[in-house]
Amino acid sequence: IKLNNGRKYVIAREGDSYSKIAGEFDISVNLLYKYNDQGIDDVLKKGDWVYVQPKKKNADKAKLHEVKSGETMHSISQKYGIKLNSLYKLNNFEPNTAVKTGQKIKLRK
């Protein structure tokens, strides 16, 4: 178990699934999906960060993030341990808004 933004997470290994990790931590798989802003159809990949407790509404330390190539709002929310909906609200974005490389994303008020 690792800590990010005061929240516990694990890094997915080869062959891991949300169901398997949920079982290891005695959490319902639906809660695990919720904690990670994922749905039943989302597939876990080796190296993904999987939060085993709810993410926060803001980052503790960092204030801004500059989007790098290939990043999404979801990957940024996982990187900083921030709920995806909170990240959209902080930036006055509609849900599912795509970000562009170089764009500055607020991580806290």
Side-chain angles (χ1 to χ4, degrees):
I1 287 190
K2 297 178 182 280
L3 271 180
N4 183 37
N5 201 23
R7 306 284 94 190
K8 294 177 184 174
Y9 74 96
V10 295
I11 296 176
R13 298 177 303 250
E14 192 70 42
D16 274 349
S17 66
Y18 285 106
S19 296
K20 183 177 178 185
I21 292 172
E24 287 175 21
F25 289 93
D26 199 24
I27 301 168
S28 83
V29 73
N30 287 334
L31 263 184
L32 205 57
Y33 286 137
K34 183 178 177 182
Y35 293 167
N36 291 280
D37 302 299
Q38 295 287 55
I40 197 163
D41 295 329
D42 291 304
V43 178
L44 198 55
K45 297 183 293 300
K46 180 182 175 184
D48 283 352
W49 290 19
V50 181
Y51 286 87
V52 295
Q53 61 183 152
K55 294 185 284 184
K56 293 186 175 180
K57 292 184 179 183
N58 297 290
D60 281 345
K61 295 183 176 86
K63 196 157 174 106
L64 285 174
H65 174 80
E66 186 172 333
V67 179
K68 293 167 190 61
S69 180
E71 286 185 320
T72 63
M73 287 294 279
H74 182 263
S75 68
I76 295 166
S77 82
Q78 292 296 96
K79 179 176 185 164
Y80 291 99
I82 303 170
K83 293 177 183 178
L84 185 56
N85 281 343
S86 295
L87 199 54
Y88 285 128
K89 285 178 186 171
L90 278 170
N91 290 280
N92 297 316
F93 291 168
E94 291 294 317
N96 300 317
T97 298
V99 289
K100 298 178 182 79
T101 302
Q103 189 172 358
K104 301 264 195 290
I105 302 297
K106 286 186 213 168
L107 302 172
R108 55 186 291 147
K109 290 184 180 183

